[in-house]
Amino acid sequence: MIGDIVSGSETSKIILIEDSIDNSGRSLLLSYAVSLSQRVDEVHILLFDVRSQDTYEAVKSLGIQNIRVHDGSKDLLQWNKTPGLGLHTDVKTLILRGRASPGTKSVAIVIDSLSPLLTHTSPPYTCKTLHGLISSEDLESQVLQVVSLLHGDLHDDHSLSLVHHTCTTIQKMVPVTTPLTMYCCNTLHKKVSGKVIRITENFNLLEDFRVMDVSEVKQVTKSIPQDSNEMDPTANLPFNLSLSDKEKEARSQVILPYTYNKERQDSLLAKSVGEGKIFYQPDEADDFDEEDPDDDLDI
Amino acid sequence: MATTSFQKKARVKINQIAGTKPSLFNNQLLVSSGVPSLDNIIGGGLAVGTVCLVEEDTYGNYSRLLLKYFSAEAAMTGHSLVLTSGDQDPSQILKELPAPIIDDPGEINTANSAEQPENMKIAWRYQHLPGNQLGHSSSKFGHYYDLTKVMDPQLLTSIKPVLIGPEDLERGCNQCQELNPKYKYLLTRIQKEIEQGGHSTTQHTDKRNILRIAVHSLGSPQWDECGGLDLSHEDTDFSLPRFLLALRVLMRSAFAVCLITIPTHLFQIPGYVGRLRKMCDTVLLMESFAGSDKEKNPAFKEYHGLFHIVQLPRLNSLLSHMPDTLDFAFKLRRKKFTIEKLHLPPELSDT
């Protein structure tokens, strides 16, 4: 899954990489930047973080042509009134101004990181900024994807939940489970069709930040152990409960009492009501006296 | 069962408004929500002049589907529609409305006779009776929709829907002390629509029509709502309950129905969601199994989520409508979306 999202086979408009002190996500962010540079005309990296010099160095060492870096980490809140990127600048006008070639069709934005924005401004402002970046108006070209890094241990759950609500893919860096791989992340991906996929994977990153060796971490689920030798309750009985084939055949031939049967219907209709025969069988206790004491019977 | 030919001898004084019917329990005027199975549960439909709150599921897919059904029902009955969304362009939602299934009464009979069930052995006395009817084909209340097809755009343009998108909200709002500016703007727009369309109860028009207002994902971060918190993160921001109160006041004096979806899972202040619920009339909660542990529970195998009725209104009466059970679940099949009574699958041993 993570390979698909990074390479672009799974489309996702807003990707969030949530990391922490113990599990850094900066390398994954760079791998996104590298992959995006192959797919779009321009990749703009916005630096807000204190440690974003590492990103800057890494990008410079890669030497990819269509990545443009905007450094806003020196004067975030623009107290010195430096021109360029600050927290409150309109990113789109900045990108438009710094555009080298006028004919760019598609743009991608990578943000390192979103934490200063979330700290200094309110969560709705951050969510609106993210949402606004993905729309194509005022930019004259289509924004393919926005990838941002967020330090999960710096913010409270409430702000994080608001940001998660806005993003379509959330990748949380977690401790590695096997010693073979370097990174592990838990991905929550909301597909366009509405399906939601949640998966945890181990992966490696090469020196040019390509994703390799993706393997899924299978959760050990507590399943009820299936009783494989379940006792057949009809096995050890003194009487027979099963039917032989002949008996089954005979059973299917039985005419059920309330079924519609032509012969039965006819016999019911044809039978006249007047006849009723009495069959009397006297036993020893009956006194069958032929005599008539009153003499009024005429037999 | 054959429908009876019994006709109630009632003097119909009020002019019949298209797409409405009086409730069977009290004399409230009801409007279909678009999903007939939902109408059955909440007592026949949504009452005119009320606000229905749908608390969204975690990823918002099913609540958006309910909103689409509501809007599609507006197109089918000819009601006016106001559609608002802060997250996406409302015209995008309108493009995805499901197409109605229009069945011809003649067609139903031939379909039934074509698929004769095999001769019944024991219940042969019932052989000649017709099969299950889908519903009264002559009723104009509650339509069935096919999710695989999209509604004809011409049907929508005939009702002239009013769309308020994120850009309109951004541009139209002015600074306001008591209320979040975007909510204030939405209120003024709704008030304007009610007056212009002649839906207010004080206006006298000869042809009454219902106004349906559908608000998608109110209270999401795109509405400048910080989950109920003030900008300083210390106080509670009461804009949303105030908005709902003002909206309910507007609804009570208009021939209108409002359906709002709110992502209440984003509000973590205790008691805040309770306030929102008290401000609305009908409150429904959709809990989807996507991405949660309940997905693997074998009891919920057939369903896609649980449907909770949180609150039903008491309109001009002492009691609200009480359904016979409160355990409902919904399932989204390829063609339709239904809300059913939750029953567990049969317990079969694995031998």
Side-chain angles (χ1 to χ4, degrees), chain A residues 151-189:
Chain A
H151 302 304
D153 39 4
L154 293 181
H155 306 287
D156 59 313
D157 290 330
H158 184 216
S159 318
L160 284 179
S161 71
L162 286 176
V163 178
H164 287 177
H165 185 76
T166 323
C167 305
T168 52
T169 307
I170 299 145
Q171 303 200 290
K172 193 164 171 188
M173 308 298 293
V174 293
V176 195
T177 45
T178 63
L180 302 164
T181 52
M182 296 194 307
Y183 304 100
C184 180
C185 89
N186 183 7
T187 311
L188 179 84
H189 178 57

mmCIF file of all heavy atoms in Angstrom, chain A residues 151-189:
data_model
loop_
_atom_site.group_PDB
_atom_site.id
_atom_site.type_symbol
_atom_site.label_atom_id
_atom_site.label_comp_id
_atom_site.label_asym_id
_atom_site.label_seq_id
_atom_site.Cartn_x
_atom_site.Cartn_y
_atom_site.Cartn_z
ATOM 1 N N HIS A 151 4.410 16.791 13.442
ATOM 2 C CA HIS A 151 4.973 16.113 14.610
ATOM 3 C C HIS A 151 3.851 15.837 15.600
ATOM 4 O O HIS A 151 3.360 16.732 16.281
ATOM 5 C CB HIS A 151 6.050 16.989 15.253
ATOM 6 C CG HIS A 151 7.150 17.340 14.307
ATOM 7 N ND1 HIS A 151 7.877 16.387 13.635
ATOM 8 C CD2 HIS A 151 7.619 18.532 13.901
ATOM 9 C CE1 HIS A 151 8.762 16.985 12.858
ATOM 10 N NE2 HIS A 151 8.632 18.285 12.987
ATOM 11 N N GLY A 152 3.447 14.577 15.657
ATOM 12 C CA GLY A 152 2.280 14.222 16.451
ATOM 13 C C GLY A 152 2.427 14.449 17.935
ATOM 14 O O GLY A 152 1.452 14.690 18.638
ATOM 15 N N ASP A 153 3.671 14.401 18.446
ATOM 16 C CA ASP A 153 3.821 14.548 19.895
ATOM 17 C C ASP A 153 3.820 16.004 20.343
ATOM 18 O O ASP A 153 3.945 16.282 21.532
ATOM 19 C CB ASP A 153 5.086 13.829 20.382
ATOM 20 C CG ASP A 153 6.239 13.995 19.418
ATOM 21 O OD1 ASP A 153 6.092 14.719 18.406
ATOM 22 O OD2 ASP A 153 7.279 13.374 19.658
ATOM 23 N N LEU A 154 3.684 16.951 19.397
ATOM 24 C CA LEU A 154 3.668 18.355 19.794
ATOM 25 C C LEU A 154 2.269 18.894 20.006
ATOM 26 O O LEU A 154 2.098 19.980 20.532
ATOM 27 C CB LEU A 154 4.340 19.217 18.718
ATOM 28 C CG LEU A 154 5.827 19.038 18.506
ATOM 29 C CD1 LEU A 154 6.290 20.002 17.434
ATOM 30 C CD2 LEU A 154 6.579 19.332 19.782
ATOM 31 N N HIS A 155 1.264 18.150 19.543
ATOM 32 C CA HIS A 155 -0.078 18.732 19.554
ATOM 33 C C HIS A 155 -1.049 17.873 20.327
ATOM 34 O O HIS A 155 -0.828 16.689 20.525
ATOM 35 C CB HIS A 155 -0.587 18.864 18.112
ATOM 36 C CG HIS A 155 0.366 19.606 17.244
ATOM 37 N ND1 HIS A 155 0.549 20.950 17.320
ATOM 38 C CD2 HIS A 155 1.209 19.156 16.291
ATOM 39 C CE1 HIS A 155 1.462 21.311 16.450
ATOM 40 N NE2 HIS A 155 1.880 20.249 15.816
ATOM 41 N N ASP A 156 -2.144 18.493 20.716
ATOM 42 C CA ASP A 156 -3.151 17.738 21.469
ATOM 43 C C ASP A 156 -4.040 16.956 20.506
ATOM 44 O O ASP A 156 -4.086 17.233 19.324
ATOM 45 C CB ASP A 156 -4.001 18.693 22.322
ATOM 46 C CG ASP A 156 -4.712 19.724 21.477
ATOM 47 O OD1 ASP A 156 -4.043 20.327 20.604
ATOM 48 O OD2 ASP A 156 -5.913 19.934 21.675
ATOM 49 N N ASP A 157 -4.752 15.992 21.086
ATOM 50 C CA ASP A 157 -5.561 15.091 20.266
ATOM 51 C C ASP A 157 -6.631 15.820 19.481
ATOM 52 O O ASP A 157 -6.976 15.431 18.376
ATOM 53 C CB ASP A 157 -6.259 14.061 21.165
ATOM 54 C CG ASP A 157 -5.257 13.081 21.729
ATOM 55 O OD1 ASP A 157 -4.250 12.832 21.049
ATOM 56 O OD2 ASP A 157 -5.478 12.587 22.845
ATOM 57 N N HIS A 158 -7.172 16.867 20.070
ATOM 58 C CA HIS A 158 -8.267 17.577 19.421
ATOM 59 C C HIS A 158 -7.811 18.222 18.120
ATOM 60 O O HIS A 158 -8.436 18.056 17.070
ATOM 61 C CB HIS A 158 -8.807 18.616 20.390
ATOM 62 C CG HIS A 158 -10.001 19.332 19.861
ATOM 63 N ND1 HIS A 158 -10.239 20.663 20.095
ATOM 64 C CD2 HIS A 158 -11.002 18.906 19.087
ATOM 65 C CE1 HIS A 158 -11.351 21.010 19.497
ATOM 66 N NE2 HIS A 158 -11.837 19.956 18.885
ATOM 67 N N SER A 159 -6.680 18.953 18.176
ATOM 68 C CA SER A 159 -6.182 19.586 16.948
ATOM 69 C C SER A 159 -5.804 18.535 15.926
ATOM 70 O O SER A 159 -6.048 18.688 14.731
ATOM 71 C CB SER A 159 -4.954 20.435 17.242
ATOM 72 O OG SER A 159 -5.131 21.160 18.415
ATOM 73 N N LEU A 160 -5.217 17.430 16.409
ATOM 74 C CA LEU A 160 -4.828 16.373 15.490
ATOM 75 C C LEU A 160 -6.048 15.772 14.812
ATOM 76 O O LEU A 160 -6.016 15.481 13.611
ATOM 77 C CB LEU A 160 -4.061 15.269 16.237
ATOM 78 C CG LEU A 160 -2.622 15.577 16.610
ATOM 79 C CD1 LEU A 160 -2.011 14.406 17.346
ATOM 80 C CD2 LEU A 160 -1.785 15.893 15.376
ATOM 81 N N SER A 161 -7.137 15.615 15.568
ATOM 82 C CA SER A 161 -8.322 15.017 14.954
ATOM 83 C C SER A 161 -8.898 15.929 13.884
ATOM 84 O O SER A 161 -9.394 15.464 12.851
ATOM 85 C CB SER A 161 -9.375 14.689 16.006
ATOM 86 O OG SER A 161 -9.952 15.862 16.509
ATOM 87 N N LEU A 162 -8.813 17.253 14.102
ATOM 88 C CA LEU A 162 -9.320 18.177 13.089
ATOM 89 C C LEU A 162 -8.483 18.098 11.815
ATOM 90 O O LEU A 162 -9.013 18.110 10.703
ATOM 91 C CB LEU A 162 -9.309 19.610 13.623
ATOM 92 C CG LEU A 162 -10.387 19.939 14.659
ATOM 93 C CD1 LEU A 162 -10.207 21.338 15.173
ATOM 94 C CD2 LEU A 162 -11.754 19.787 14.053
ATOM 95 N N VAL A 163 -7.150 17.979 11.984
ATOM 96 C CA VAL A 163 -6.289 17.889 10.799
ATOM 97 C C VAL A 163 -6.510 16.552 10.088
ATOM 98 O O VAL A 163 -6.544 16.473 8.867
ATOM 99 C CB VAL A 163 -4.807 18.068 11.180
ATOM 100 C CG1 VAL A 163 -3.919 17.938 9.973
ATOM 101 C CG2 VAL A 163 -4.593 19.407 11.833
ATOM 102 N N HIS A 164 -6.693 15.492 10.874
ATOM 103 C CA HIS A 164 -6.936 14.182 10.270
ATOM 104 C C HIS A 164 -8.216 14.181 9.448
ATOM 105 O O HIS A 164 -8.328 13.496 8.446
ATOM 106 C CB HIS A 164 -7.067 13.098 11.349
ATOM 107 C CG HIS A 164 -5.760 12.743 11.982
ATOM 108 N ND1 HIS A 164 -5.644 11.844 12.997
ATOM 109 C CD2 HIS A 164 -4.498 13.163 11.737
ATOM 110 C CE1 HIS A 164 -4.382 11.734 13.363
ATOM 111 N NE2 HIS A 164 -3.671 12.522 12.620
ATOM 112 N N HIS A 165 -9.208 14.935 9.919
ATOM 113 C CA HIS A 165 -10.490 14.991 9.222
ATOM 114 C C HIS A 165 -10.316 15.578 7.824
ATOM 115 O O HIS A 165 -11.033 15.242 6.899
ATOM 116 C CB HIS A 165 -11.459 15.839 10.045
ATOM 117 C CG HIS A 165 -12.843 15.872 9.504
ATOM 118 N ND1 HIS A 165 -13.719 14.826 9.639
ATOM 119 C CD2 HIS A 165 -13.503 16.820 8.815
ATOM 120 C CE1 HIS A 165 -14.863 15.139 9.069
ATOM 121 N NE2 HIS A 165 -14.771 16.341 8.558
ATOM 122 N N THR A 166 -9.324 16.487 7.687
ATOM 123 C CA THR A 166 -9.142 17.163 6.405
ATOM 124 C C THR A 166 -8.333 16.332 5.424
ATOM 125 O O THR A 166 -8.480 16.483 4.215
ATOM 126 C CB THR A 166 -8.400 18.493 6.627
ATOM 127 O OG1 THR A 166 -8.841 19.076 7.833
ATOM 128 C CG2 THR A 166 -8.629 19.441 5.493
ATOM 129 N N CYS A 167 -7.461 15.438 5.931
ATOM 130 C CA CYS A 167 -6.554 14.721 5.033
ATOM 131 C C CYS A 167 -7.162 13.445 4.506
ATOM 132 O O CYS A 167 -7.993 12.826 5.159
ATOM 133 C CB CYS A 167 -5.267 14.358 5.767
ATOM 134 S SG CYS A 167 -4.466 15.779 6.488
ATOM 135 N N THR A 168 -6.694 13.042 3.330
ATOM 136 C CA THR A 168 -7.210 11.810 2.751
ATOM 137 C C THR A 168 -6.333 10.611 3.056
ATOM 138 O O THR A 168 -6.787 9.483 2.976
ATOM 139 C CB THR A 168 -7.350 11.942 1.228
ATOM 140 O OG1 THR A 168 -6.121 12.399 0.700
ATOM 141 C CG2 THR A 168 -8.437 12.914 0.859
ATOM 142 N N THR A 169 -5.060 10.834 3.357
ATOM 143 C CA THR A 169 -4.201 9.718 3.766
ATOM 144 C C THR A 169 -3.404 10.157 4.982
ATOM 145 O O THR A 169 -2.824 11.237 4.975
ATOM 146 C CB THR A 169 -3.207 9.329 2.661
ATOM 147 O OG1 THR A 169 -3.919 9.093 1.477
ATOM 148 C CG2 THR A 169 -2.438 8.085 3.028
ATOM 149 N N ILE A 170 -3.394 9.322 5.994
ATOM 150 C CA ILE A 170 -2.635 9.656 7.206
ATOM 151 C C ILE A 170 -1.658 8.522 7.457
ATOM 152 O O ILE A 170 -2.055 7.363 7.587
ATOM 153 C CB ILE A 170 -3.573 9.814 8.405
ATOM 154 C CG1 ILE A 170 -4.548 10.953 8.130
ATOM 155 C CG2 ILE A 170 -2.798 10.118 9.661
ATOM 156 C CD1 ILE A 170 -5.910 10.722 8.691
ATOM 157 N N GLN A 171 -0.358 8.855 7.504
ATOM 158 C CA GLN A 171 0.647 7.817 7.730
ATOM 159 C C GLN A 171 1.363 8.114 9.033
ATOM 160 O O GLN A 171 2.046 9.117 9.156
ATOM 161 C CB GLN A 171 1.635 7.807 6.577
ATOM 162 C CG GLN A 171 0.911 7.591 5.268
ATOM 163 C CD GLN A 171 1.815 7.112 4.192
ATOM 164 O OE1 GLN A 171 2.650 7.878 3.736
ATOM 165 N NE2 GLN A 171 1.664 5.878 3.808
ATOM 166 N N LYS A 172 1.200 7.237 9.965
ATOM 167 C CA LYS A 172 1.781 7.461 11.289
ATOM 168 C C LYS A 172 2.996 6.563 11.439
ATOM 169 O O LYS A 172 2.900 5.348 11.273
ATOM 170 C CB LYS A 172 0.718 7.113 12.326
ATOM 171 C CG LYS A 172 1.053 7.564 13.677
ATOM 172 C CD LYS A 172 -0.141 7.570 14.583
ATOM 173 C CE LYS A 172 0.421 7.843 15.969
ATOM 174 N NZ LYS A 172 -0.473 7.717 17.020
ATOM 175 N N MET A 173 4.128 7.161 11.784
ATOM 176 C CA MET A 173 5.348 6.377 11.940
ATOM 177 C C MET A 173 5.337 5.694 13.303
ATOM 178 O O MET A 173 5.125 6.342 14.330
ATOM 179 C CB MET A 173 6.580 7.287 11.850
ATOM 180 C CG MET A 173 6.622 8.164 10.638
ATOM 181 S SD MET A 173 6.673 7.280 9.076
ATOM 182 C CE MET A 173 8.251 6.517 9.147
ATOM 183 N N VAL A 174 5.549 4.420 13.292
ATOM 184 C CA VAL A 174 5.525 3.647 14.540
ATOM 185 C C VAL A 174 6.840 2.886 14.692
ATOM 186 O O VAL A 174 7.596 2.775 13.731
ATOM 187 C CB VAL A 174 4.327 2.673 14.543
ATOM 188 C CG1 VAL A 174 3.028 3.431 14.607
ATOM 189 C CG2 VAL A 174 4.356 1.767 13.358
ATOM 190 N N PRO A 175 7.147 2.370 15.858
ATOM 191 C CA PRO A 175 8.393 1.621 16.022
ATOM 192 C C PRO A 175 8.435 0.387 15.144
ATOM 193 O O PRO A 175 7.425 -0.255 14.882
ATOM 194 C CB PRO A 175 8.370 1.213 17.504
ATOM 195 C CG PRO A 175 7.429 2.134 18.154
ATOM 196 C CD PRO A 175 6.455 2.586 17.137
ATOM 197 N N VAL A 176 9.650 0.068 14.694
ATOM 198 C CA VAL A 176 9.821 -1.049 13.760
ATOM 199 C C VAL A 176 9.641 -2.369 14.489
ATOM 200 O O VAL A 176 10.052 -2.518 15.629
ATOM 201 C CB VAL A 176 11.235 -1.012 13.140
ATOM 202 C CG1 VAL A 176 11.303 -1.900 11.948
ATOM 203 C CG2 VAL A 176 11.607 0.409 12.801
ATOM 204 N N THR A 177 9.034 -3.318 13.825
ATOM 205 C CA THR A 177 8.784 -4.604 14.479
ATOM 206 C C THR A 177 9.876 -5.629 14.179
ATOM 207 O O THR A 177 10.219 -6.436 15.020
ATOM 208 C CB THR A 177 7.429 -5.174 14.025
ATOM 209 O OG1 THR A 177 7.324 -5.036 12.614
ATOM 210 C CG2 THR A 177 6.299 -4.427 14.695
ATOM 211 N N THR A 178 10.413 -5.599 12.957
ATOM 212 C CA THR A 178 11.470 -6.573 12.644
ATOM 213 C C THR A 178 12.799 -5.834 12.503
ATOM 214 O O THR A 178 12.833 -4.696 12.062
ATOM 215 C CB THR A 178 11.171 -7.289 11.314
ATOM 216 O OG1 THR A 178 11.184 -6.313 10.275
ATOM 217 C CG2 THR A 178 9.826 -7.969 11.359
ATOM 218 N N PRO A 179 13.907 -6.483 12.812
ATOM 219 C CA PRO A 179 15.210 -5.812 12.665
ATOM 220 C C PRO A 179 15.668 -5.679 11.217
ATOM 221 O O PRO A 179 16.663 -5.038 10.936
ATOM 222 C CB PRO A 179 16.160 -6.716 13.457
ATOM 223 C CG PRO A 179 15.483 -8.037 13.499
ATOM 224 C CD PRO A 179 14.027 -7.791 13.442
ATOM 225 N N LEU A 180 14.921 -6.267 10.291
ATOM 226 C CA LEU A 180 15.366 -6.227 8.897
ATOM 227 C C LEU A 180 15.071 -4.897 8.219
ATOM 228 O O LEU A 180 15.741 -4.518 7.271
ATOM 229 C CB LEU A 180 14.659 -7.328 8.092
ATOM 230 C CG LEU A 180 14.845 -8.756 8.587
ATOM 231 C CD1 LEU A 180 13.808 -9.646 7.945
ATOM 232 C CD2 LEU A 180 16.239 -9.241 8.240
ATOM 233 N N THR A 181 14.049 -4.237 8.686
ATOM 234 C CA THR A 181 13.661 -3.005 8.001
ATOM 235 C C THR A 181 13.903 -1.798 8.895
ATOM 236 O O THR A 181 13.987 -1.908 10.106
ATOM 237 C CB THR A 181 12.171 -3.035 7.635
ATOM 238 O OG1 THR A 181 11.433 -3.353 8.811
ATOM 239 C CG2 THR A 181 11.895 -4.042 6.565
ATOM 240 N N MET A 182 13.995 -0.632 8.233
ATOM 241 C CA MET A 182 14.345 0.566 8.977
ATOM 242 C C MET A 182 13.125 1.314 9.500
ATOM 243 O O MET A 182 13.177 1.950 10.530
ATOM 244 C CB MET A 182 15.124 1.506 8.059
ATOM 245 C CG MET A 182 16.427 0.902 7.625
ATOM 246 S SD MET A 182 17.513 2.112 6.893
ATOM 247 C CE MET A 182 16.510 2.851 5.655
ATOM 248 N N TYR A 183 12.052 1.279 8.715
ATOM 249 C CA TYR A 183 10.897 2.090 9.091
ATOM 250 C C TYR A 183 9.643 1.241 9.134
ATOM 251 O O TYR A 183 9.545 0.201 8.500
ATOM 252 C CB TYR A 183 10.669 3.218 8.068
ATOM 253 C CG TYR A 183 11.859 4.104 7.863
ATOM 254 C CD1 TYR A 183 12.695 3.922 6.769
ATOM 255 C CD2 TYR A 183 12.152 5.127 8.759
ATOM 256 C CE1 TYR A 183 13.780 4.733 6.568
ATOM 257 C CE2 TYR A 183 13.237 5.942 8.564
ATOM 258 C CZ TYR A 183 14.057 5.747 7.475
ATOM 259 O OH TYR A 183 15.133 6.555 7.270
ATOM 260 N N CYS A 184 8.681 1.748 9.890
ATOM 261 C CA CYS A 184 7.384 1.085 9.917
ATOM 262 C C CYS A 184 6.329 2.160 10.041
ATOM 263 O O CYS A 184 6.494 3.109 10.820
ATOM 264 C CB CYS A 184 7.304 0.133 11.105
ATOM 265 S SG CYS A 184 5.752 -0.732 11.225
ATOM 266 N N CYS A 185 5.279 2.043 9.273
ATOM 267 C CA CYS A 185 4.243 3.058 9.437
ATOM 268 C C CYS A 185 2.853 2.461 9.307
ATOM 269 O O CYS A 185 2.632 1.461 8.645
ATOM 270 C CB CYS A 185 4.430 4.223 8.470
ATOM 271 S SG CYS A 185 3.639 4.008 6.901
ATOM 272 N N ASN A 186 1.937 3.110 9.969
ATOM 273 C CA ASN A 186 0.540 2.708 10.007
ATOM 274 C C ASN A 186 -0.228 3.663 9.103
ATOM 275 O O ASN A 186 -0.261 4.858 9.349
ATOM 276 C CB ASN A 186 0.070 2.824 11.462
ATOM 277 C CG ASN A 186 -1.353 2.367 11.629
ATOM 278 O OD1 ASN A 186 -1.954 1.857 10.712
ATOM 279 N ND2 ASN A 186 -1.884 2.557 12.818
ATOM 280 N N THR A 187 -0.795 3.133 8.037
ATOM 281 C CA THR A 187 -1.443 3.997 7.044
ATOM 282 C C THR A 187 -2.948 3.896 7.144
ATOM 283 O O THR A 187 -3.500 2.802 7.238
ATOM 284 C CB THR A 187 -1.026 3.538 5.630
ATOM 285 O OG1 THR A 187 0.369 3.396 5.600
ATOM 286 C CG2 THR A 187 -1.456 4.549 4.597
ATOM 287 N N LEU A 188 -3.607 5.039 7.088
ATOM 288 C CA LEU A 188 -5.062 5.077 6.982
ATOM 289 C C LEU A 188 -5.365 5.805 5.686
ATOM 290 O O LEU A 188 -5.049 6.983 5.547
ATOM 291 C CB LEU A 188 -5.662 5.856 8.152
ATOM 292 C CG LEU A 188 -7.173 5.958 8.114
ATOM 293 C CD1 LEU A 188 -7.757 4.722 8.710
ATOM 294 C CD2 LEU A 188 -7.675 7.147 8.880
ATOM 295 N N HIS A 189 -5.943 5.100 4.726
ATOM 296 C CA HIS A 189 -6.152 5.712 3.419
ATOM 297 C C HIS A 189 -7.637 5.735 3.093
ATOM 298 O O HIS A 189 -8.296 4.704 3.164
ATOM 299 C CB HIS A 189 -5.390 4.890 2.367
ATOM 300 C CG HIS A 189 -5.561 5.391 0.976
ATOM 301 N ND1 HIS A 189 -5.247 6.670 0.583
ATOM 302 C CD2 HIS A 189 -6.021 4.778 -0.133
ATOM 303 C CE1 HIS A 189 -5.505 6.816 -0.685
ATOM 304 N NE2 HIS A 189 -5.965 5.685 -1.156
#
